[in-house]
Amino acid sequence: MEGFGKLNTAQHEAVTTLSGPLLVLAGAGTGKTRVITMRIANLIRHGIDPERILSVTFTNKAAKEMLERALALLGGRPKRRPWISTFHSFCVRVLREDIEALGYPKNFTIYDRGDQEATARRALRDMRVAEKQMKPGDLINRISQWKTQGVLSHEASEYVDHDGDLIAAMGYKKYQSILKASGSVDFDDLLLLTNDLFRNHPDVLRRYQERFDHVQIDEYQDTNGSQFDLIEALVRNHKNLCVVGDDDQSIYGWRGADVSHILKFPTIFPGAKVVRLQENYRCTEQILGLANSIVKHNRNRHDKRLFAFKNVPGSVRYREYENEDVEAETVIREIEFYVRNQRAEANDFAILFRTNEQPRAFEFQLRRFKVPYVLLGERSFFDNKECRDLMAYLRIISQPLDEQSLLRIINTPARNISDASVEKILAKAVQTKVRFWDAVPSLRDAKEITPKAAVAVETFEQLLADFRRRFDEAPKRMAEIFHDLLETIDYDNEIQRSYKTPEQQLVRQGIVEQVIEMLQQYAANNDEPTLAGFLDQTALSGRDDEPDKEDQLKQRGVRLMTIHAAKGLEFPRVYLVGMEEGLLPHRRSVESEDETPQSIEEERRLCYVGVTRARDSLTLTRALFRKKWGRMRETTPSRFLHEMFEEPVATPLGEAVESDETSDTSGAE
């Protein structure tokens, strides 16, 4: 196979092991993606039907890159292709075929976080639970925990840890019944319901087991309980499962990832072959020395040690500063020196931090020194009000039962339907178990709502029905049809009413144009486009892809981001700041250390991830004093510093840039 000779010994072993359970432990910067794609190509070269290969990862971007690289290795664009997707995309395709067996409509809609909280608020209100007892967001978080563990709504009462959980368990049942009645699911349901389908409908499971002879999972250390159950069910008969990951980079325990899946893989799948990728092609020997030193302190891990191919003396530095303001000023002054005087690119620099509060001081100094920067991980495009409004219109057109979307836009723009009228119609619909629209005539006859409000509701229903027909008849023209809808309802006037300045209005109109462009691109890139398909794509990309992060990375500027957001990325020069107890490791982990020592292990893995983002230069910093509750308080050096260096050597406070450290980094890429 082309490129086979360029593989190192461990990579070659992984690529040529084509049957049985295989665990590929891929350390940071060891060529993981290359191994995955070459293994897919090798399976096909050995006669495996491409359509009988399933390869699953966590983002659409990674799935797309994997497919393109595999096809390039095969030398063309064959009609039969491996099924490469995210977990959630895979589940959507399964559910679109068979969800009716669970009592949901095939054209279900996928709720985002805002819709979930609105549904939770309604569930708690129906239960007469005051917000001081349980907030909608807290209910959603608890439901999400249960769902990622594979717990169905009727089972939640068996998993109650405290009194608040009793309310949450009842709220879960109510929340789920509202979702189902609305013909909707939430993001966690995609996995939960697919597992429910496979568990209770063996014929459906058998169809997918027989469809795939080989299954491959990327980033296996990030899998949660539902994802593990799904994988295990699919490979139960043939055990041809290859998982690729790194237990040392398992940093998402807070959102359900279970590191034990990768740690216990050889036990769960007896006879599994384990291949260790330990040759790092990214970092310097000094940077890897720190990474190896810190992670070896974790007890629960696979034994491995990364080694480097490049040695750059002086590539690691540790600095202490008087306080967080001096820390920020000195770091930015140094970056400004490199950019102005050494012709370095601002994009070469990343400042990584543990908490969302830390970047404020750095932003201030970046603006002060006029250094361009990008703060990653901020608000998503899909969270903008206008985007949420437009998606609600599309969802109610696609799924008439989607009550939450209806309630969002029934009076946006204003239609002379008062909130009181909406509440009465909604209450009547719930009481009589009919659709929202069908509750209107009886309320009008009883004069509980005004004739004007009734006409407005009926006119709106007819408008949606007319456009639903147009979308069904001409899906290739969906962008044009949606543009007509927005003109019909005069959404532009809604923007002008809501925002006072021309600049604000222009930004919001730009959001509308982007949504229309998304529709245009979707229709152009799909042979058989559907509104439901477009909504699936946007719902999944909004959660799986962090689209704004990709856009931000294309912008010029120093990168500011949390270590979590930096996973999967790499930079020539990295500043890992705030190396203090309470920040890294985080205060919550320190306080719970006696009860949950695994939380400190995850913080240590997080530090390891931060260190291994650096290619050529890593600077670790901390403040001797940091403001807390309005007062300057002395800090304690992070225990991870002592684990990386036997005795961290402090440098003079506020040390200036030294001449031997100002090498040109413009060619580091």
Side-chain angles (χ1 to χ4, degrees):
M1 183 194 295
E2 183 183 351
F4 236 49
K6 297 179 181 178
L7 296 172
N8 63 42
T9 303
Q11 290 173 335
H12 186 274
E13 186 177 8
V15 168
T16 55
T17 301
L18 302 181
S19 62
L22 170 66
L23 169 60
V24 180
L25 293 169
T30 57
K32 173 190 66 145
T33 304
R34 189 167 174 227
V35 166
I36 292 170
T37 53
M38 291 194 76
R39 187 174 183 277
I40 292 173
N42 199 28
L43 283 168
I44 297 170
R45 288 279 176 87
H46 278 76
I48 302 300
D49 183 345
E51 293 188 348
R52 299 185 69 80
I53 300 171
L54 172 66
S55 191
V56 183
T57 186
F58 278 81
T59 70
N60 286 311
K61 178 177 178 287
K64 182 180 178 183
E65 179 186 356
M66 198 182 297
L67 178 60
E68 288 175 349
R69 290 174 69 165
L71 294 179
L73 286 169
L74 293 168
R77 298 286 171 182
K79 290 184 178 180
R80 297 180 72 81
R81 298 181 173 191
W83 189 340
I84 301 179
S85 76
T86 65
F87 276 102
H88 294 97
S89 294
F90 172 79
C91 290
V92 166
R93 290 177 69 174
V94 172
L95 294 175
R96 287 289 176 209
E97 289 291 320
D98 295 291
I99 197 172
E100 287 177 318
L102 300 177
Y104 289 80
K106 275 192 175 183
N107 64 333
F108 61 86
T109 55
I110 304 171
Y111 275 4
D112 61 19
R113 176 71 186 203
D115 300 315
Q116 287 180 264
E117 291 203 9
T119 304
R121 186 172 290 106
R122 178 180 160 191
L124 292 169
R125 184 187 61 202
D126 290 351
M127 293 165 56
R128 291 179 169 75
V129 174
E131 190 156 322
K132 63 182 179 181
Q133 286 181 273
M134 177 161 288
K135 295 177 181 177
D138 293 338
L139 175 59
I140 291 300
N141 291 339
R142 190 65 184 102
I143 290 173
S144 182
Q145 290 171 359
W146 275 322
K147 288 186 176 182
T148 56
Q149 293 164 5
V151 178
L152 296 165
S153 59
H154 66 272
E155 301 169 333
S157 58
E158 301 171 22
Y159 295 84
V160 169
D161 295 330
H162 48 76
D163 290 346
D165 270 1
L166 288 171
I167 297 174
M170 292 187 289
Y172 183 6
K173 289 180 72 172
K174 186 69 178 175
Y175 167 88
Q176 205 65 22
S177 68
I178 295 172
L179 273 186
K180 197 169 185 177
S182 299
S184 304
V185 301
D186 64 23
F187 205 64
D188 294 319
D189 279 332
L190 298 177
L191 284 155
L192 183 77
L193 295 178
T194 302
N195 278 318
D196 191 21
L197 190 64
F198 284 175
R199 187 166 48 248
N200 293 305
H201 297 273
D203 56 319
V204 177
L205 173 59
R206 193 177 308 113
R207 196 184 333 136
Y208 284 93
Q209 287 175 329
E210 292 173 353
R211 180 166 186 171
F212 301 112
D213 294 328
H214 291 267
V215 177
Q216 188 167 270
I217 311 296
D218 187 18
E219 302 286 5
Y220 189 65
Q221 77 280 349
D222 293 337
T223 53
N224 61 34
S226 289
Q227 289 159 340
F228 172 81
D229 291 343
L230 185 71
I231 297 160
E232 190 280 327
L234 288 172
V235 304
R236 194 172 293 156
N237 296 332
H238 57 67
K239 303 292 194 299
N240 289 329
L241 172 65
C242 169
V243 302
V244 183
D246 182 8
D247 50 297
D248 290 335
Q249 295 186 74
S250 180
I251 59 173
Y252 295 115
W254 50 276
R255 68 183 190 194
D258 187 347
V259 69
S260 71
H261 295 155
I262 194 168
L263 293 176
K264 296 179 180 177
F265 185 86
T267 303
I268 298 169
F269 297 95
K273 186 173 189 176
V274 180
V275 176
R276 291 171 170 80
L277 306 184
Q278 299 177 107
E279 297 182 36
N280 177 283
Y281 300 95
R282 176 193 301 163
C283 310
T284 69
E285 184 178 334
Q286 290 72 25
I287 292 169
L288 282 190
L290 295 191
N292 288 323
S293 293
I294 184 173
V295 81
K296 73 180 182 183
H297 285 81
N298 275 353
R299 294 181 180 179
N300 299 307
R301 64 185 294 263
H302 287 287
D303 183 38
K304 54 191 175 301
R305 181 179 179 85
L306 297 181
F307 54 94
F309 281 87
K310 61 182 181 181
N311 182 8
V312 181
S315 58
V316 170
R317 301 179 304 163
Y318 168 63
R319 298 287 184 264
E320 292 180 343
Y321 299 106
E322 180 65 29
N323 56 53
E324 68 257 50
D325 293 328
V326 177
E327 177 188 44
E329 179 181 353
T330 311
V331 166
I332 302 310
R333 190 187 291 274
E334 180 171 299
I335 292 174
E336 193 261 353
F337 176 87
Y338 285 126
V339 172
R340 305 287 184 226
N341 301 310
Q342 298 292 310
R343 293 183 298 175
E345 293 290 333
N347 297 25
D348 290 346
F349 299 87
I351 301 173
L352 308 184
F353 39 84
R354 176 62 179 89
T355 71
N356 287 316
E357 290 76 33
Q358 288 173 261
R360 292 173 190 165
F362 292 91
E363 281 195 88
F364 175 80
Q365 297 296 339
L366 284 160
R367 291 176 180 178
R368 176 187 168 199
F369 286 101
K370 296 181 174 58
V371 176
Y373 72 94
V374 181
L375 180 60
L376 278 82
E378 288 297 280
R379 180 173 172 166
S380 167
F381 169 76
F382 294 97
D383 288 335
N384 286 292
K385 175 189 180 298
E386 291 69 30
C387 189
R388 291 174 60 79
D389 285 349
L390 303 194
M391 290 300 170
Y393 270 101
L394 292 170
R395 287 207 301 256
I396 191 61
I397 289 171
S398 174
Q399 172 48 272
L401 294 176
D402 185 357
E403 203 170 79
Q404 194 56 55
S405 293
L406 172 63
L407 294 177
R408 179 177 182 88
I409 48 87
I410 192 168
N411 220 24
T412 304
R415 295 187 176 85
N416 297 316
I417 308 170
S418 68
D419 290 344
S421 295
V422 172
E423 286 291 332
K424 288 177 183 177
I425 299 169
L426 184 60
K428 187 71 172 179
V430 172
Q431 178 190 345
T432 56
K433 297 182 179 179
V434 298
R435 296 190 317 151
F436 179 90
W437 314 105
D438 297 334
V440 174
S442 61
L443 289 171
R444 177 179 53 199
D445 294 343
K447 297 184 178 179
E448 293 186 44
I449 62 172
T450 65
K452 188 176 182 180
V455 168
V457 172
E458 289 165 349
T459 301
F460 185 46
E461 181 187 15
Q462 187 58 51
L463 173 79
L464 295 176
D466 290 343
F467 276 93
R468 186 173 299 119
R469 174 183 50 77
R470 290 184 61 183
F471 273 105
D472 289 341
E473 291 175 351
K476 275 288 187 182
R477 294 177 50 236
M478 61 173 61
E480 179 186 335
I481 294 168
F482 191 52
H483 183 269
D484 290 349
L485 171 62
L486 297 180
E487 286 200 335
T488 301
I489 64 175
D490 198 6
Y491 192 78
D492 190 56
N493 184 59
E494 171 74 6
I495 290 176
Q496 293 180 35
R497 183 190 63 80
S498 302
Y499 303 97
K500 302 308 178 187
T501 70
E503 292 79 12
Q504 290 174 318
Q505 293 168 8
L506 198 62
V507 168
R508 302 299 161 170
Q509 287 162 347
I511 293 171
V512 174
E513 290 171 6
Q514 286 184 65
V515 174
I516 294 173
E517 177 62 24
M518 287 161 57
L519 280 162
Q520 180 70 47
Q521 289 181 0
Y522 168 79
N525 294 332
N526 288 271
D527 294 333
E528 297 181 3
T530 64
L531 194 50
F534 170 76
L535 291 168
D536 285 349
Q537 180 177 290
T538 53
L540 294 171
S541 67
R543 291 293 295 266
D544 279 343
D545 273 349
E546 298 178 318
D548 289 354
K549 178 177 168 181
E550 293 304 316
D551 291 341
Q552 289 169 330
L553 284 170
K554 296 174 185 175
Q555 299 173 28
R556 177 176 176 266
V558 175
R559 279 72 169 101
L560 271 69
M561 68 185 87
T562 64
I563 306 173
H564 282 103
K567 186 173 179 292
L569 304 176
E570 58 184 75
F571 308 93
R573 292 179 173 271
V574 168
Y575 292 81
L576 187 52
V577 301
M579 294 295 298
E580 302 148 28
E581 289 289 297
L583 283 180
L584 187 64
H586 193 276
R587 175 177 51 84
R588 286 193 302 270
S589 298
V590 174
E591 291 174 350
S592 65
E593 184 175 2
D594 292 338
E595 298 177 12
T596 55
Q598 65 269 24
S599 62
I600 287 291
E601 293 213 342
E602 180 156 319
E603 289 290 301
R604 188 174 284 113
R605 293 194 293 267
L606 190 61
C607 185
Y608 170 86
V609 167
V611 167
T612 54
R613 297 314 92 195
R615 294 211 302 260
D616 304 315
S617 171
L618 172 68
T619 302
L620 302 156
T621 74
R622 82 172 184 98
L624 297 174
F625 292 85
R626 192 172 292 272
K627 190 172 289 185
K628 187 175 182 182
W629 298 316
R631 290 177 54 194
M632 279 293 182
R633 299 173 187 271
E634 189 172 2
T635 68
T636 302
S638 169
R639 69 189 72 186
F640 302 151
L641 289 170
H642 297 286
E643 293 171 359
M644 285 188 278
F645 310 95
E646 289 188 7
E647 290 185 10
V649 180
T651 54
L653 298 180
E655 179 185 15
V657 183
E658 299 174 3
S659 59
D660 65 344
E661 294 171 344
T662 56
S663 58
D664 185 358
T665 63
S666 59
E669 294 283 359

